[in-house]
Amino acid sequence: MPTASASIPDTDVLKHTIRASGLKVTAPRVAVLRALQHLPHSSAERVFERVKDDLSGTSPQAVYGILAAFTGAGLVRRFDPPGSPALFECRVGDNHHHLVCVRCGTIRDVDCVIGQAPCLEPSDDSGFTVFAAEVTFNGLCEQCRAAASAGDNQ
């Protein structure tokens, strides 16, 4: 599935992607998948705002249901940053991580952690087979860090 910087697939490609995941193709599902292609790291509410004008009669609950179906089918990844509603993205299958600015909320993808792995293996797996770990790096983005420094100099 392309990332936000890649071109957005056309409707036929989106339909094929949905069908290939084992889900029925519907106009709301196509619209939600297209919205996530344009708006990675989006909440269900943000996706609803994007699709509501094109889908008369759709509801936030319908968007939540579609996102749940997509997540279950592996089309979409759910990401739960601290202090934020759940966010969804189309970049799946690579166990990437996220950089989150605690001031402005900017989110950036970061490829898998390099160097010594920070707690990627639990000390007690309680019988689980671990296949992925989520790492969220919280900090200040470049713009917020610059603004904070400018404020300190006044």
Side-chain angles (χ1 to χ4, degrees), residues 64-132:
Y64 277 105
I66 292 167
L67 291 170
F70 282 175
T71 301
L75 283 179
V76 167
R77 179 178 176 190
R78 179 184 166 134
F79 161 53
D80 294 289
S84 170
L87 303 178
F88 299 87
E89 63 184 342
C90 290
R91 185 175 171 185
V92 297
D94 65 354
N95 197 32
H96 69 280
H97 308 296
H98 297 97
L99 297 163
V100 178
C101 180
V102 298
R103 180 180 261 178
C104 70
T106 293
I107 299 173
R108 297 284 183 260
D109 289 338
V110 61
D111 289 331
C112 200
V113 177
I114 58 173
Q116 185 174 346
C119 299
L120 295 181
E121 293 182 27
S123 60
D124 177 5
D125 65 18
S126 300
F128 281 69
T129 299
V130 177
F131 54 86

Side-chain angles (χ1 to χ4, degrees), residues 11-34:
T11 300
D12 289 337
V13 171
L14 295 174
K15 287 179 178 179
H16 173 76
T17 301
I18 294 167
R19 194 174 296 110
S21 74
L23 297 173
K24 183 179 175 186
V25 175
T26 64
R29 286 180 174 168
V30 171
V32 167
L33 190 56
R34 179 178 289 113

Side-chain angles (χ1 to χ4, degrees), residues 35-46:
L36 282 174
Q37 293 287 329
H38 286 279
L39 302 169
H41 309 126
S42 288
S43 66
E45 292 82 10
R46 187 172 181 208

